[in-house]
Amino acid sequence: MSGAPPDQVADALRVVRSSAFNLDIFPGMVIIYLKACLLAALTLFVSTFATSNIFTVVVMAFIYFIGHLQPRA
């Protein structure tokens, strides 16, 4: 964009600044973080009883996909 006209550069900068961090996405970020924490906690719980690592990975993959396949209420 070094060779672009100044008004085009200003317009591009305005678009980038307007699409920056927005407080409306904060609740979604918190929910994703909590979901990752819950999955990590379940993984640790299952791994305390599991005898192999592959079993833990497979069970957690199933739990992850089952959780995403549930219809939203």
Side-chain angles (χ1 to χ4, degrees):
M1 300 249 353
S2 62
D7 59 338
Q8 187 178 7
V9 172
D11 188 42
L13 284 174
R14 183 187 53 77
V15 169
V16 168
R17 287 184 183 130
S18 69
S19 65
F21 184 75
N22 189 352
L23 288 178
D24 293 337
I25 64 171
F26 187 70
M29 290 171 41
V30 169
I31 290 173
I32 291 171
Y33 177 75
L34 291 174
K35 186 168 51 170
C37 288
L38 179 64
L39 189 63
L42 284 171
T43 303
L44 285 173
F45 178 72
V46 169
S47 70
T48 59
F49 301 109
T51 57
S52 68
N53 289 339
I54 191 70
F55 175 76
T56 304
V57 171
V58 168
V59 167
M60 286 304 107
F62 282 145
I63 288 174
Y64 176 80
F65 287 119
I66 288 170
H68 280 268
L69 292 174
Q70 293 294 321
R72 297 207 163 101

Short mmCIF file of all heavy atoms in Angstrom, two decimals:
data_model
loop_
_atom_site.label_atom_id
_atom_site.label_comp_id
_atom_site.label_asym_id
_atom_site.label_seq_id
_atom_site.Cartn_x
_atom_site.Cartn_y
_atom_site.Cartn_z
N MET A 1 0.81 -1.19 0.00
CA MET A 1 0.00 0.00 0.00
C MET A 1 0.86 1.26 0.00
O MET A 1 0.33 2.34 0.14
CB MET A 1 -0.93 0.01 1.21
CG MET A 1 -1.89 -1.13 1.30
SD MET A 1 -3.66 -0.87 1.08
CE MET A 1 -3.99 0.80 0.97
N SER A 2 2.16 1.09 -0.15
CA SER A 2 3.03 2.27 -0.10
C SER A 2 2.78 3.19 -1.29
O SER A 2 2.97 4.40 -1.18
CB SER A 2 4.49 1.85 -0.04
OG SER A 2 4.82 1.13 -1.22
N GLY A 3 2.35 2.64 -2.42
CA GLY A 3 2.11 3.46 -3.59
C GLY A 3 0.66 3.90 -3.74
O GLY A 3 0.30 4.55 -4.72
N ALA A 4 -0.17 3.57 -2.79
CA ALA A 4 -1.59 3.89 -2.87
C ALA A 4 -1.82 5.36 -2.52
O ALA A 4 -1.04 5.97 -1.79
CB ALA A 4 -2.38 3.01 -1.91
N PRO A 5 -2.90 5.92 -3.04
CA PRO A 5 -3.23 7.31 -2.70
C PRO A 5 -3.54 7.44 -1.20
O PRO A 5 -4.00 6.50 -0.56
CB PRO A 5 -4.48 7.62 -3.52
CG PRO A 5 -4.68 6.47 -4.44
CD PRO A 5 -3.82 5.36 -4.00
N PRO A 6 -3.28 8.62 -0.64
CA PRO A 6 -3.48 8.80 0.81
C PRO A 6 -4.91 8.53 1.27
O PRO A 6 -5.11 8.01 2.37
CB PRO A 6 -3.09 10.26 1.04
CG PRO A 6 -2.26 10.65 -0.12
CD PRO A 6 -2.69 9.79 -1.26
N ASP A 7 -5.90 8.88 0.45
CA ASP A 7 -7.28 8.63 0.89
C ASP A 7 -7.60 7.14 0.94
O ASP A 7 -8.35 6.68 1.80
CB ASP A 7 -8.28 9.37 -0.01
CG ASP A 7 -8.16 8.96 -1.48
OD1 ASP A 7 -7.09 8.44 -1.86
OD2 ASP A 7 -9.14 9.15 -2.22
N GLN A 8 -7.00 6.36 0.05
CA GLN A 8 -7.19 4.91 0.07
C GLN A 8 -6.51 4.30 1.29
O GLN A 8 -7.05 3.39 1.93
CB GLN A 8 -6.67 4.28 -1.21
CG GLN A 8 -6.99 2.81 -1.35
CD GLN A 8 -6.50 2.23 -2.66
OE1 GLN A 8 -5.80 2.89 -3.43
NE2 GLN A 8 -6.86 0.99 -2.91
N VAL A 9 -5.33 4.79 1.63
CA VAL A 9 -4.63 4.31 2.81
C VAL A 9 -5.42 4.65 4.07
O VAL A 9 -5.58 3.83 4.97
CB VAL A 9 -3.20 4.90 2.88
CG1 VAL A 9 -2.54 4.56 4.21
CG2 VAL A 9 -2.36 4.41 1.72
N ALA A 10 -5.95 5.87 4.12
CA ALA A 10 -6.75 6.29 5.28
C ALA A 10 -8.01 5.44 5.40
O ALA A 10 -8.40 5.05 6.52
CB ALA A 10 -7.10 7.77 5.16
N ASP A 11 -8.63 5.12 4.28
CA ASP A 11 -9.83 4.28 4.30
C ASP A 11 -9.50 2.87 4.77
O ASP A 11 -10.24 2.28 5.57
CB ASP A 11 -10.46 4.25 2.91
CG ASP A 11 -11.80 3.55 2.91
OD1 ASP A 11 -12.58 3.79 3.85
OD2 ASP A 11 -12.06 2.75 1.97
N ALA A 12 -8.37 2.32 4.31
CA ALA A 12 -7.95 0.99 4.74
C ALA A 12 -7.64 0.97 6.23
O ALA A 12 -8.01 0.04 6.95
CB ALA A 12 -6.74 0.53 3.93
N LEU A 13 -6.98 2.00 6.73
CA LEU A 13 -6.68 2.09 8.16
C LEU A 13 -7.96 2.21 8.99
O LEU A 13 -8.07 1.63 10.08
CB LEU A 13 -5.76 3.27 8.44
CG LEU A 13 -4.29 3.07 8.06
CD1 LEU A 13 -3.52 4.37 8.25
CD2 LEU A 13 -3.68 1.96 8.88
N ARG A 14 -8.94 2.94 8.48
CA ARG A 14 -10.20 3.08 9.19
C ARG A 14 -10.92 1.74 9.29
O ARG A 14 -11.46 1.38 10.34
CB ARG A 14 -11.09 4.10 8.48
CG ARG A 14 -12.42 4.36 9.20
CD ARG A 14 -13.34 5.24 8.38
NE ARG A 14 -13.57 4.76 7.01
CZ ARG A 14 -14.38 3.75 6.69
NH1 ARG A 14 -15.04 3.11 7.63
NH2 ARG A 14 -14.53 3.37 5.44
N VAL A 15 -10.90 0.96 8.23
CA VAL A 15 -11.53 -0.36 8.24
C VAL A 15 -10.83 -1.28 9.23
O VAL A 15 -11.48 -2.01 10.00
CB VAL A 15 -11.54 -0.97 6.82
CG1 VAL A 15 -11.93 -2.43 6.85
CG2 VAL A 15 -12.45 -0.19 5.91
N VAL A 16 -9.50 -1.25 9.25
CA VAL A 16 -8.75 -2.11 10.17
C VAL A 16 -9.03 -1.71 11.61
O VAL A 16 -9.25 -2.55 12.48
CB VAL A 16 -7.24 -2.05 9.86
CG1 VAL A 16 -6.43 -2.69 10.97
CG2 VAL A 16 -6.96 -2.72 8.53
N ARG A 17 -9.06 -0.44 11.89
CA ARG A 17 -9.30 0.03 13.25
C ARG A 17 -10.74 -0.27 13.70
O ARG A 17 -10.98 -0.55 14.87
CB ARG A 17 -9.01 1.51 13.36
CG ARG A 17 -7.53 1.81 13.31
CD ARG A 17 -7.23 3.29 13.51
NE ARG A 17 -5.81 3.51 13.40
CZ ARG A 17 -5.25 4.43 12.63
NH1 ARG A 17 -6.01 5.25 11.91
NH2 ARG A 17 -3.94 4.56 12.57
N SER A 18 -11.68 -0.21 12.78
CA SER A 18 -13.07 -0.49 13.17
C SER A 18 -13.32 -1.97 13.40
O SER A 18 -14.24 -2.34 14.13
CB SER A 18 -14.03 0.04 12.11
OG SER A 18 -13.92 -0.73 10.93
N SER A 19 -12.50 -2.83 12.81
CA SER A 19 -12.67 -4.27 12.99
C SER A 19 -11.75 -4.81 14.08
O SER A 19 -11.62 -6.01 14.23
CB SER A 19 -12.40 -5.00 11.68
OG SER A 19 -11.05 -4.85 11.32
N ALA A 20 -11.13 -3.95 14.84
CA ALA A 20 -10.26 -4.38 15.92
C ALA A 20 -11.10 -4.92 17.07
O ALA A 20 -12.30 -5.12 16.94
CB ALA A 20 -9.39 -3.21 16.38
N PHE A 21 -10.49 -5.13 18.22
CA PHE A 21 -11.16 -5.73 19.38
C PHE A 21 -12.44 -4.98 19.70
O PHE A 21 -12.48 -3.77 19.80
CB PHE A 21 -10.24 -5.72 20.58
CG PHE A 21 -10.83 -6.39 21.78
CD1 PHE A 21 -10.89 -7.77 21.83
CD2 PHE A 21 -11.33 -5.65 22.82
CE1 PHE A 21 -11.45 -8.40 22.92
CE2 PHE A 21 -11.88 -6.27 23.92
CZ PHE A 21 -11.94 -7.65 23.97
N ASN A 22 -13.49 -5.75 19.87
CA ASN A 22 -14.80 -5.21 20.15
C ASN A 22 -15.32 -5.88 21.41
O ASN A 22 -15.20 -7.09 21.58
CB ASN A 22 -15.73 -5.50 18.96
CG ASN A 22 -17.04 -4.79 19.07
OD1 ASN A 22 -17.35 -4.18 20.09
ND2 ASN A 22 -17.83 -4.87 18.02
N LEU A 23 -15.91 -5.13 22.31
CA LEU A 23 -16.39 -5.70 23.56
C LEU A 23 -17.55 -6.66 23.37
O LEU A 23 -17.87 -7.45 24.27
CB LEU A 23 -16.79 -4.59 24.53
CG LEU A 23 -15.62 -3.82 25.14
CD1 LEU A 23 -16.15 -2.72 26.05
CD2 LEU A 23 -14.70 -4.73 25.91
N ASP A 24 -18.20 -6.64 22.21
CA ASP A 24 -19.30 -7.55 21.96
C ASP A 24 -18.85 -9.01 21.85
O ASP A 24 -19.64 -9.93 22.05
CB ASP A 24 -20.04 -7.17 20.68
CG ASP A 24 -20.76 -5.84 20.81
OD1 ASP A 24 -21.05 -5.45 21.96
OD2 ASP A 24 -21.03 -5.21 19.78
N ILE A 25 -17.58 -9.24 21.52
CA ILE A 25 -17.10 -10.61 21.39
C ILE A 25 -16.54 -11.15 22.70
O ILE A 25 -16.20 -12.33 22.79
CB ILE A 25 -16.03 -10.73 20.28
CG1 ILE A 25 -14.78 -9.92 20.63
CG2 ILE A 25 -16.59 -10.32 18.95
CD1 ILE A 25 -13.63 -10.18 19.70
N PHE A 26 -16.46 -10.33 23.73
CA PHE A 26 -15.89 -10.77 25.00
C PHE A 26 -16.65 -11.93 25.64
O PHE A 26 -16.01 -12.89 26.09
CB PHE A 26 -15.80 -9.58 25.98
CG PHE A 26 -15.08 -9.90 27.24
CD1 PHE A 26 -13.71 -10.13 27.24
CD2 PHE A 26 -15.77 -10.02 28.43
CE1 PHE A 26 -13.04 -10.44 28.40
CE2 PHE A 26 -15.12 -10.34 29.60
CZ PHE A 26 -13.74 -10.54 29.58
N PRO A 27 -17.99 -11.93 25.71
CA PRO A 27 -18.69 -13.09 26.29
C PRO A 27 -18.39 -14.39 25.53
O PRO A 27 -18.25 -15.46 26.15
CB PRO A 27 -20.17 -12.73 26.18
CG PRO A 27 -20.19 -11.25 26.11
CD PRO A 27 -18.93 -10.85 25.40
N GLY A 28 -18.28 -14.32 24.24
CA GLY A 28 -17.95 -15.51 23.45
C GLY A 28 -16.55 -16.02 23.76
O GLY A 28 -16.32 -17.23 23.85
N MET A 29 -15.62 -15.10 23.95
CA MET A 29 -14.26 -15.50 24.30
C MET A 29 -14.22 -16.17 25.67
O MET A 29 -13.51 -17.15 25.87
CB MET A 29 -13.34 -14.27 24.28
CG MET A 29 -13.09 -13.74 22.90
SD MET A 29 -12.23 -12.15 22.81
CE MET A 29 -10.99 -12.26 24.03
N VAL A 30 -15.01 -15.66 26.60
CA VAL A 30 -15.07 -16.25 27.94
C VAL A 30 -15.66 -17.66 27.88
O VAL A 30 -15.15 -18.59 28.52
CB VAL A 30 -15.87 -15.35 28.90
CG1 VAL A 30 -16.16 -16.05 30.21
CG2 VAL A 30 -15.13 -14.05 29.15
N ILE A 31 -16.71 -17.84 27.10
CA ILE A 31 -17.34 -19.15 26.98
C ILE A 31 -16.38 -20.15 26.34
O ILE A 31 -16.29 -21.30 26.77
CB ILE A 31 -18.66 -19.05 26.21
CG1 ILE A 31 -19.69 -18.32 27.07
CG2 ILE A 31 -19.17 -20.42 25.79
CD1 ILE A 31 -20.98 -18.00 26.37
N ILE A 32 -15.65 -19.75 25.32
CA ILE A 32 -14.67 -20.64 24.68
C ILE A 32 -13.57 -21.01 25.67
O ILE A 32 -13.14 -22.17 25.74
CB ILE A 32 -14.10 -19.98 23.42
CG1 ILE A 32 -15.17 -19.91 22.35
CG2 ILE A 32 -12.87 -20.75 22.91
CD1 ILE A 32 -14.77 -19.10 21.13
N TYR A 33 -13.13 -20.04 26.47
CA TYR A 33 -12.10 -20.31 27.48
C TYR A 33 -12.63 -21.31 28.52
O TYR A 33 -11.92 -22.25 28.90
CB TYR A 33 -11.66 -19.01 28.15
CG TYR A 33 -10.67 -19.20 29.26
CD1 TYR A 33 -9.35 -19.52 28.98
CD2 TYR A 33 -11.06 -19.10 30.58
CE1 TYR A 33 -8.43 -19.71 30.00
CE2 TYR A 33 -10.16 -19.30 31.60
CZ TYR A 33 -8.85 -19.60 31.32
OH TYR A 33 -7.95 -19.79 32.33
N LEU A 34 -13.85 -21.11 28.99
CA LEU A 34 -14.43 -22.02 29.97
C LEU A 34 -14.62 -23.42 29.40
O LEU A 34 -14.44 -24.43 30.10
CB LEU A 34 -15.75 -21.47 30.49
CG LEU A 34 -15.65 -20.23 31.37
CD1 LEU A 34 -17.03 -19.71 31.71
CD2 LEU A 34 -14.85 -20.53 32.62
N LYS A 35 -14.99 -23.50 28.13
CA LYS A 35 -15.14 -24.80 27.48
C LYS A 35 -13.79 -25.52 27.40
O LYS A 35 -13.71 -26.73 27.66
CB LYS A 35 -15.74 -24.61 26.10
CG LYS A 35 -16.07 -25.89 25.40
CD LYS A 35 -16.92 -25.71 24.16
CE LYS A 35 -16.38 -24.69 23.21
NZ LYS A 35 -17.08 -24.69 21.92
N ALA A 36 -12.73 -24.78 27.10
CA ALA A 36 -11.40 -25.38 27.06
C ALA A 36 -10.95 -25.82 28.44
O ALA A 36 -10.33 -26.88 28.60
CB ALA A 36 -10.40 -24.39 26.46
N CYS A 37 -11.27 -25.03 29.46
CA CYS A 37 -10.93 -25.41 30.84
C CYS A 37 -11.67 -26.68 31.25
O CYS A 37 -11.09 -27.57 31.89
CB CYS A 37 -11.25 -24.28 31.80
SG CYS A 37 -10.13 -22.89 31.67
N LEU A 38 -12.94 -26.78 30.91
CA LEU A 38 -13.72 -27.96 31.24
C LEU A 38 -13.18 -29.19 30.54
O LEU A 38 -13.07 -30.27 31.14
CB LEU A 38 -15.19 -27.74 30.88
CG LEU A 38 -16.13 -28.90 31.16
CD1 LEU A 38 -16.19 -29.17 32.66
CD2 LEU A 38 -17.50 -28.60 30.62
N LEU A 39 -12.82 -29.06 29.28
CA LEU A 39 -12.26 -30.20 28.54
C LEU A 39 -10.92 -30.61 29.13
O LEU A 39 -10.63 -31.81 29.25
CB LEU A 39 -12.12 -29.85 27.06
CG LEU A 39 -11.74 -31.00 26.14
CD1 LEU A 39 -12.84 -32.06 26.15
CD2 LEU A 39 -11.51 -30.51 24.74
N ALA A 40 -10.10 -29.66 29.54
CA ALA A 40 -8.82 -29.98 30.17
C ALA A 40 -9.03 -30.69 31.50
O ALA A 40 -8.33 -31.65 31.83
CB ALA A 40 -7.99 -28.72 30.36
N ALA A 41 -10.01 -30.23 32.28
CA ALA A 41 -10.30 -30.87 33.56
C ALA A 41 -10.80 -32.30 33.36
O ALA A 41 -10.40 -33.22 34.09
CB ALA A 41 -11.32 -30.05 34.34
N LEU A 42 -11.67 -32.49 32.38
CA LEU A 42 -12.15 -33.85 32.10
C LEU A 42 -11.02 -34.75 31.61
O LEU A 42 -10.98 -35.93 31.95
CB LEU A 42 -13.27 -33.80 31.06
CG LEU A 42 -14.62 -33.33 31.57
CD1 LEU A 42 -15.58 -33.13 30.40
CD2 LEU A 42 -15.19 -34.31 32.56
N THR A 43 -10.12 -34.19 30.84
CA THR A 43 -8.97 -34.97 30.35
C THR A 43 -8.10 -35.42 31.52
O THR A 43 -7.67 -36.58 31.58
CB THR A 43 -8.15 -34.15 29.36
OG1 THR A 43 -8.99 -33.73 28.29
CG2 THR A 43 -6.99 -34.95 28.80
N LEU A 44 -7.83 -34.51 32.43
CA LEU A 44 -7.04 -34.89 33.60
C LEU A 44 -7.75 -35.94 34.45
O LEU A 44 -7.12 -36.87 34.97
CB LEU A 44 -6.73 -33.66 34.45
CG LEU A 44 -5.68 -32.72 33.89
CD1 LEU A 44 -5.60 -31.46 34.73
CD2 LEU A 44 -4.33 -33.41 33.84
N PHE A 45 -9.06 -35.81 34.58
CA PHE A 45 -9.83 -36.78 35.35
C PHE A 45 -9.76 -38.16 34.72
O PHE A 45 -9.53 -39.16 35.41
CB PHE A 45 -11.28 -36.31 35.48
CG PHE A 45 -12.16 -37.25 36.22
CD1 PHE A 45 -12.02 -37.41 37.59
CD2 PHE A 45 -13.12 -38.00 35.55
CE1 PHE A 45 -12.83 -38.29 38.28
CE2 PHE A 45 -13.93 -38.88 36.24
CZ PHE A 45 -13.78 -39.03 37.61
N VAL A 46 -9.96 -38.23 33.42
CA VAL A 46 -9.93 -39.53 32.74
C VAL A 46 -8.52 -40.11 32.76
O VAL A 46 -8.33 -41.32 32.91
CB VAL A 46 -10.46 -39.40 31.29
CG1 VAL A 46 -10.19 -40.64 30.47
CG2 VAL A 46 -11.94 -39.10 31.31
N SER A 47 -7.51 -39.27 32.63
CA SER A 47 -6.14 -39.77 32.58
C SER A 47 -5.68 -40.35 33.92
O SER A 47 -4.72 -41.12 33.95
CB SER A 47 -5.19 -38.66 32.15
OG SER A 47 -5.07 -37.68 33.16
N THR A 48 -6.35 -39.98 35.02
CA THR A 48 -5.97 -40.59 36.30
C THR A 48 -6.39 -42.05 36.39
O THR A 48 -5.78 -42.81 37.12
CB THR A 48 -6.60 -39.82 37.48
OG1 THR A 48 -8.01 -39.83 37.35
CG2 THR A 48 -6.10 -38.41 37.54
N PHE A 49 -7.40 -42.44 35.63
CA PHE A 49 -7.87 -43.81 35.65
C PHE A 49 -7.43 -44.62 34.43
O PHE A 49 -7.47 -45.84 34.46
CB PHE A 49 -9.41 -43.85 35.72
CG PHE A 49 -9.94 -43.15 36.93
CD1 PHE A 49 -10.61 -41.94 36.80
CD2 PHE A 49 -9.77 -43.69 38.19
CE1 PHE A 49 -11.10 -41.30 37.92
CE2 PHE A 49 -10.24 -43.04 39.31
CZ PHE A 49 -10.92 -41.85 39.18
N ALA A 50 -7.04 -43.96 33.38
CA ALA A 50 -6.70 -44.65 32.12
C ALA A 50 -5.31 -45.26 32.23
O ALA A 50 -4.43 -44.77 32.93
CB ALA A 50 -6.74 -43.67 30.96
N THR A 51 -5.14 -46.36 31.51
CA THR A 51 -3.84 -47.03 31.52
C THR A 51 -2.99 -46.66 30.32
O THR A 51 -1.79 -46.92 30.31
CB THR A 51 -4.03 -48.56 31.55
OG1 THR A 51 -4.83 -48.95 30.44
CG2 THR A 51 -4.72 -48.98 32.85
N SER A 52 -3.60 -46.06 29.30
CA SER A 52 -2.82 -45.67 28.12
C SER A 52 -3.19 -44.25 27.70
O SER A 52 -4.30 -43.79 27.94
CB SER A 52 -3.05 -46.64 26.96
OG SER A 52 -4.37 -46.50 26.48
N ASN A 53 -2.24 -43.61 27.07
CA ASN A 53 -2.47 -42.24 26.60
C ASN A 53 -3.45 -42.20 25.44
O ASN A 53 -4.25 -41.26 25.34
CB ASN A 53 -1.16 -41.59 26.18
CG ASN A 53 -0.28 -41.30 27.37
OD1 ASN A 53 -0.76 -41.21 28.49
ND2 ASN A 53 1.01 -41.17 27.12
N ILE A 54 -3.40 -43.19 24.57
CA ILE A 54 -4.28 -43.18 23.40
C ILE A 54 -5.73 -43.31 23.83
O ILE A 54 -6.62 -42.70 23.22
CB ILE A 54 -3.88 -44.28 22.39
CG1 ILE A 54 -4.61 -44.09 21.06
CG2 ILE A 54 -4.14 -45.65 22.93
CD1 ILE A 54 -4.15 -42.90 20.29
N PHE A 55 -6.01 -44.06 24.90
CA PHE A 55 -7.37 -44.17 25.41
C PHE A 55 -7.87 -42.80 25.87
O PHE A 55 -9.00 -42.42 25.57
CB PHE A 55 -7.43 -45.18 26.57
CG PHE A 55 -8.76 -45.25 27.23
CD1 PHE A 55 -9.81 -45.91 26.62
CD2 PHE A 55 -8.99 -44.64 28.45
CE1 PHE A 55 -11.05 -45.98 27.23
CE2 PHE A 55 -10.22 -44.69 29.06
CZ PHE A 55 -11.26 -45.37 28.44
N THR A 56 -7.03 -42.08 26.58
CA THR A 56 -7.42 -40.75 27.05
C THR A 56 -7.71 -39.82 25.89
O THR A 56 -8.70 -39.09 25.90
CB THR A 56 -6.30 -40.16 27.94
OG1 THR A 56 -6.03 -41.06 29.00
CG2 THR A 56 -6.70 -38.82 28.50
N VAL A 57 -6.86 -39.85 24.88
CA VAL A 57 -7.05 -38.97 23.72
C VAL A 57 -8.34 -39.33 22.98
O VAL A 57 -9.11 -38.44 22.60
CB VAL A 57 -5.82 -39.06 22.78
CG1 VAL A 57 -6.08 -38.35 21.47
CG2 VAL A 57 -4.60 -38.50 23.46
N VAL A 58 -8.59 -40.61 22.78
CA VAL A 58 -9.78 -41.04 22.06
C VAL A 58 -11.05 -40.67 22.83
O VAL A 58 -12.02 -40.15 22.26
CB VAL A 58 -9.72 -42.54 21.74
CG1 VAL A 58 -11.05 -43.07 21.25
CG2 VAL A 58 -8.62 -42.83 20.74
N VAL A 59 -11.05 -40.92 24.13
CA VAL A 59 -12.23 -40.61 24.94
C VAL A 59 -12.49 -39.10 24.93
O VAL A 59 -13.64 -38.65 24.80
CB VAL A 59 -12.06 -41.14 26.38
CG1 VAL A 59 -13.11 -40.57 27.31
CG2 VAL A 59 -12.12 -42.66 26.38
N MET A 60 -11.45 -38.30 25.05
CA MET A 60 -11.65 -36.85 25.05
C MET A 60 -12.10 -36.34 23.68
O MET A 60 -12.89 -35.41 23.59
CB MET A 60 -10.37 -36.13 25.48
CG MET A 60 -10.11 -36.24 26.96
SD MET A 60 -11.49 -35.64 27.97
CE MET A 60 -12.18 -37.13 28.59
N ALA A 61 -11.62 -36.96 22.62
CA ALA A 61 -12.09 -36.57 21.28
C ALA A 61 -13.58 -36.89 21.14
O ALA A 61 -14.35 -36.08 20.61
CB ALA A 61 -11.29 -37.29 20.20
N PHE A 62 -14.00 -38.06 21.65
CA PHE A 62 -15.42 -38.40 21.61
C PHE A 62 -16.24 -37.43 22.44
O PHE A 62 -17.31 -36.99 22.01
CB PHE A 62 -15.65 -39.83 22.10
CG PHE A 62 -15.33 -40.89 21.09
CD1 PHE A 62 -14.78 -42.09 21.49
CD2 PHE A 62 -15.54 -40.68 19.74
CE1 PHE A 62 -14.48 -43.07 20.56
CE2 PHE A 62 -15.24 -41.65 18.80
CZ PHE A 62 -14.70 -42.85 19.22
N ILE A 63 -15.77 -37.09 23.62
CA ILE A 63 -16.51 -36.14 24.47
C ILE A 63 -16.61 -34.79 23.78
O ILE A 63 -17.65 -34.14 23.80
CB ILE A 63 -15.85 -36.03 25.86
CG1 ILE A 63 -16.10 -37.30 26.64
CG2 ILE A 63 -16.36 -34.82 26.62
CD1 ILE A 63 -15.38 -37.37 27.97
N TYR A 64 -15.52 -34.35 23.16
CA TYR A 64 -15.53 -33.06 22.46
C TYR A 64 -16.57 -33.07 21.33
O TYR A 64 -17.37 -32.15 21.21
CB TYR A 64 -14.14 -32.76 21.91
CG TYR A 64 -14.07 -31.50 21.10
CD1 TYR A 64 -13.99 -30.26 21.71
CD2 TYR A 64 -14.08 -31.53 19.71
CE1 TYR A 64 -13.92 -29.09 20.98
CE2 TYR A 64 -14.02 -30.39 18.97
CZ TYR A 64 -13.94 -29.17 19.61
OH TYR A 64 -13.89 -28.02 18.85
N PHE A 65 -16.54 -34.12 20.51
CA PHE A 65 -17.46 -34.16 19.38
C PHE A 65 -18.89 -34.38 19.81
O PHE A 65 -19.82 -33.81 19.22
CB PHE A 65 -17.02 -35.22 18.36
CG PHE A 65 -15.81 -34.82 17.58
CD1 PHE A 65 -14.64 -35.56 17.63
CD2 PHE A 65 -15.82 -33.67 16.81
CE1 PHE A 65 -13.53 -35.18 16.93
CE2 PHE A 65 -14.70 -33.27 16.11
CZ PHE A 65 -13.55 -34.04 16.16
N ILE A 66 -19.12 -35.17 20.83
CA ILE A 66 -20.48 -35.36 21.34
C ILE A 66 -21.02 -34.04 21.87
O ILE A 66 -22.18 -33.70 21.66
CB ILE A 66 -20.51 -36.47 22.41
CG1 ILE A 66 -20.32 -37.82 21.75
CG2 ILE A 66 -21.81 -36.43 23.19
CD1 ILE A 66 -20.10 -38.96 22.73
N GLY A 67 -20.17 -33.29 22.56
CA GLY A 67 -20.60 -31.99 23.07
C GLY A 67 -20.95 -31.01 21.96
O GLY A 67 -21.85 -30.18 22.12
N HIS A 68 -20.29 -31.13 20.82
CA HIS A 68 -20.59 -30.22 19.71
C HIS A 68 -21.75 -30.71 18.85
O HIS A 68 -22.29 -29.94 18.06
CB HIS A 68 -19.35 -30.00 18.86
CG HIS A 68 -18.41 -29.02 19.45
ND1 HIS A 68 -18.46 -27.68 19.13
CD2 HIS A 68 -17.43 -29.13 20.37
CE1 HIS A 68 -17.55 -27.04 19.82
NE2 HIS A 68 -16.91 -27.90 20.59
N LEU A 69 -22.11 -31.97 18.98
CA LEU A 69 -23.22 -32.51 18.20
C LEU A 69 -24.56 -32.33 18.90
O LEU A 69 -25.59 -32.54 18.29
CB LEU A 69 -22.99 -33.98 17.89
CG LEU A 69 -21.84 -34.28 16.93
CD1 LEU A 69 -21.64 -35.79 16.82
CD2 LEU A 69 -22.08 -33.68 15.58
N GLN A 70 -24.54 -31.95 20.17
CA GLN A 70 -25.79 -31.75 20.91
C GLN A 70 -26.51 -30.52 20.35
O GLN A 70 -25.90 -29.48 20.13
CB GLN A 70 -25.50 -31.55 22.39
CG GLN A 70 -24.95 -32.79 23.07
CD GLN A 70 -25.97 -33.89 23.11
OE1 GLN A 70 -27.14 -33.65 23.33
NE2 GLN A 70 -25.53 -35.11 22.86
N PRO A 71 -27.82 -30.63 20.17
CA PRO A 71 -28.57 -29.45 19.72
C PRO A 71 -28.64 -28.40 20.82
O PRO A 71 -28.68 -28.72 22.01
CB PRO A 71 -29.96 -29.99 19.40
CG PRO A 71 -30.06 -31.24 20.21
CD PRO A 71 -28.69 -31.79 20.34
N ARG A 72 -28.62 -27.15 20.41
CA ARG A 72 -28.69 -26.06 21.38
C ARG A 72 -30.14 -25.87 21.81
O ARG A 72 -31.06 -25.92 21.01
CB ARG A 72 -28.15 -24.80 20.76
CG ARG A 72 -26.68 -24.99 20.43
CD ARG A 72 -25.96 -23.68 20.44
NE ARG A 72 -24.55 -23.92 20.53
CZ ARG A 72 -23.73 -23.87 19.49
NH1 ARG A 72 -24.19 -23.57 18.32
NH2 ARG A 72 -22.46 -24.09 19.66
N ALA A 73 -30.31 -25.63 23.08
CA ALA A 73 -31.66 -25.43 23.61
C ALA A 73 -32.12 -24.01 23.45
O ALA A 73 -31.41 -23.09 23.30
CB ALA A 73 -31.70 -25.82 25.06
#
